[in-house]
Amino acid sequence: MLHSRRILLIISGGIAAYKALDLIRRLRERGATVRCILTAGAQQFITPLSAAALSGEKAYTDLFSLTDESEMGHLRLAQESDLLVVAPASADILAKMAGGIADDLAATALLATDKPILVAPAMNFRMWGHQATQDNLARLAARGVRRVGPNAGPLAENESGMGRMAEPLEIVDAIEKIFAADALLSGRRALITSGPTQEPIDPVRYIANRSSGRQGHAIAAALARLGAECVLVSGPTNEPDPPGVKVVHIETAREMLAACEAVLPADIAVCAAAVADWRADAATAKLKKKAGAVPMLKLVENPDILATLAKAGNRRPKLVVGFAAETEDIVANAQAKRARKGCDWILANDVSPASGVFGGENNTIHLVDEHGVEDWPAMSKRDVGDRLARRIAVFFAPKAAE
Ligand code: CTP
């Protein structure tokens, strides 16, 4: 499956471009998100409209007509993908890639990325056999560009030979293999908490907070992408359940703790939830307004889920990770919190007004562990999830994750 994988599909010129449309469909059936770039050559065979209709995303064509460059620049287009697939890959685009030419949107995206690239060549058999093409392929292979096909068979213009693009299902297979090699956490069980908790005041009112759950959900999805068996215990959020993750929906802190304890034993616990520190002594019947009388809420302390998991004795997950939202003395406060809670790592989130984190898309993280501090640049919550998941993979298997 390709759940929550983002594929940038670059369609270059050639009769096999029509098969790229089938490829889009098959990738989406497997849960991938597909964005397409069509070269000028590709547009002689298929239209951006068909690619957009099948992918459910805008299809991109020309570097200089990107009216929404600020909204989705060519750099972001490549960086917000997990894999770039060039299918069909014409002799021309392979030559551009080998030579580092960036004269259109497709070639620019291919040059402006450090993401893995898979090419599915398709061309006339003489072009395929030409030394120039073979030299280009050898250069690309040496740079780590992967290839699927071509196959031998009937070609355009009643010719036949080597140069037929791999069938869409073969390409899907090759893509799944690339991601499977990423399963660095397979066999590991992970527990993630996310979202706010809601603490009832009476049957209709509650105390809550503004946590969106986006960071916790992104971490669960990222761990699942690396093959971990994930259970996400989440308070009420608007986030969809991440694919490939078992989600337990709870409302209160006490329900969250019970759900977490039911997940143990686990190898990894990441507590990203904004758990309410206190709960009210909830009334069993709705509080009624009485003239001149304001109800007093008696608050009681909630269990600390992170600290409970970190001190769970022989049921303690091998790696326990917590979050800290700090506005000042970020690292010192996070170090103190790490010691107090007994967890292994604290991801200190800089929420000072200057960081722009509050209400923003990005998080600025400082990872505090027993050795010291690692400062991460500001990045999207999805990227924080991916970076944390990789860091966890290194913790469990330093060699394999290198
Ligand atoms: N946490 C928890 N259970 C609680 C409270 C917090 O699991 N009842 C976890 C959170 O998921 C997070 C970390 O503990 O991983 C945050 O610690 P907390 O003491 O709540 O600190 P902050 O919210 O960062 O802020 P403050 O220090 O001001 O309380």
Side-chain angles (χ1 to χ4, degrees), residues 225-236:
R225 281 194 290 276
L226 291 196
E229 180 202 341
C230 293
V231 183
L232 174 65
V233 179
S234 177

Side-chain angles (χ1 to χ4, degrees), residues 381-394:
K381 292 181 178 176
R382 175 170 173 128
D383 287 347
V384 167
D386 282 332
R387 184 150 175 177
L388 176 63
R390 294 238 155 232
R391 190 70 167 63
I392 290 174
V394 173

Side-chain angles (χ1 to χ4, degrees), residues 193 271-273 275-277 303-306 322-325 337 340-341:
T193 71
C271 292
V275 185
D277 290 315
D304 189 316
I305 294 156
L306 173 61
F323 271 80
K337 192 163 289 174
R340 204 164 57 241
K341 305 244 183 184

Side-chain angles (χ1 to χ4, degrees), residues 17 32 87 105 114 208 210 222 232 250 284 290 307 360 362 369 375 386:
L105 180 59
D114 51 8
R210 294 186 196 281
L232 174 65
I250 53 80
T284 48
K290 286 189 202 112
N362 288 343
D369 68 4
D375 298 320
D386 282 332

Side-chain angles (χ1 to χ4, degrees), residues 193-195 197 199 253 256-257 260 270-278 301-309 321-326 333 337 340-341 343 345-349 351:
T193 71
S194 184
T197 62
E199 309 296 335
M256 182 173 270
L257 177 61
C260 288
V270 180
C271 292
V275 185
D277 290 315
W278 308 282
E301 197 166 336
N302 262 334
D304 189 316
I305 294 156
L306 173 61
T308 309
L309 293 172
V321 182
F323 271 80
E326 307 287 351
N333 283 334
K337 192 163 289 174
R340 204 164 57 241
K341 305 244 183 184
C343 60
W345 300 351
I346 285 274
L347 299 196
N349 197 0
V351 294

Side-chain angles (χ1 to χ4, degrees), residues 78-378:
Q79 277 322 100
E80 289 185 355
S81 315
D82 302 309
L83 175 72
L84 279 70
V85 177
V86 191
S90 63
D92 179 60
I93 201 158
L94 292 171
K96 282 186 190 172
M97 288 169 71
I101 293 170
D103 64 347
D104 65 5
L105 180 59
T108 307
L110 285 160
L111 192 62
T113 188
D114 51 8
K115 299 295 164 85
I117 301 174
L118 172 73
V119 296
M123 64 196 74
N124 170 273
F125 72 97
R126 290 185 196 84
M127 292 167 89
W128 173 255
H130 197 286
Q131 198 55 48
T133 303
Q134 291 304 314
D135 288 350
N136 289 334
L137 285 162
R139 284 168 80 183
L140 293 174
R143 282 183 215 148
V145 171
R146 294 152 227 232
R147 169 161 73 85
V148 52
N151 300 331
L155 300 169
E157 293 165 9
N158 284 333
E159 292 196 306
S160 99
M162 196 63 161
R164 247 176 100 78
M165 186 173 86
E167 293 304 316
L169 279 178
E170 280 176 77
I171 301 176
V172 170
D173 229 39
I175 292 171
E176 283 184 330
K177 285 210 179 78
I178 291 174
F179 288 126
D182 239 20
L184 300 166
L185 288 172
S186 82
R188 301 279 173 197
R189 190 167 154 81
L191 159 66
I192 304 97
T193 71
S194 184
T197 62
Q198 290 180 353
E199 309 296 335
I201 294 171
D202 67 15
V204 298
R205 303 180 176 94
Y206 57 81
I207 303 172
N209 60 68
R210 294 186 196 281
S211 167
S212 66
R214 284 180 54 205
Q215 186 60 82
H217 279 58
I219 292 168
L223 289 167
R225 281 194 290 276
L226 291 196
E229 180 202 341
C230 293
V231 183
L232 174 65
V233 179
S234 177
T237 74
N238 289 326
E239 289 294 293
D241 289 356
V245 170
K246 182 179 171 208
V247 185
V248 182
H249 295 277
I250 53 80
E251 287 179 358
T252 68
R254 286 189 294 176
E255 288 166 5
M256 182 173 270
L257 177 61
C260 288
E261 285 181 325
V263 174
L264 299 181
D267 299 290
I268 304 153
V270 180
C271 292
V275 185
D277 290 315
W278 308 282
R279 66 176 177 277
D281 221 350
T284 48
K286 186 179 170 216
L287 299 177
K288 301 295 285 178
K289 273 198 299 273
K290 286 189 202 112
V294 178
M296 292 293 288
L297 286 184
K298 185 166 175 295
L299 297 181
V300 195
E301 197 166 336
N302 262 334
D304 189 316
I305 294 156
L306 173 61
T308 309
L309 293 172
K311 292 170 187 160
N314 57 6
R315 283 164 63 77
R316 183 192 197 276
K318 291 181 195 74
L319 181 68
V320 179
V321 182
F323 271 80
E326 307 287 351
T327 53
E328 53 194 2
D329 297 332
I330 294 162
V331 171
N333 283 334
Q335 275 161 339
K337 192 163 289 174
R338 178 177 168 269
R340 204 164 57 241
K341 305 244 183 184
C343 60
D344 301 295
W345 300 351
I346 285 274
L347 299 196
N349 197 0
D350 182 353
V351 294
S352 59
S355 72
V357 161
F358 244 60
E361 291 290 305
N362 288 343
N363 265 346
T364 307
I365 296 287
H366 308 271
L367 189 154
V368 175
D369 68 4
E370 59 180 318
H371 305 295
V373 190
E374 204 177 280
D375 298 320
W376 295 1

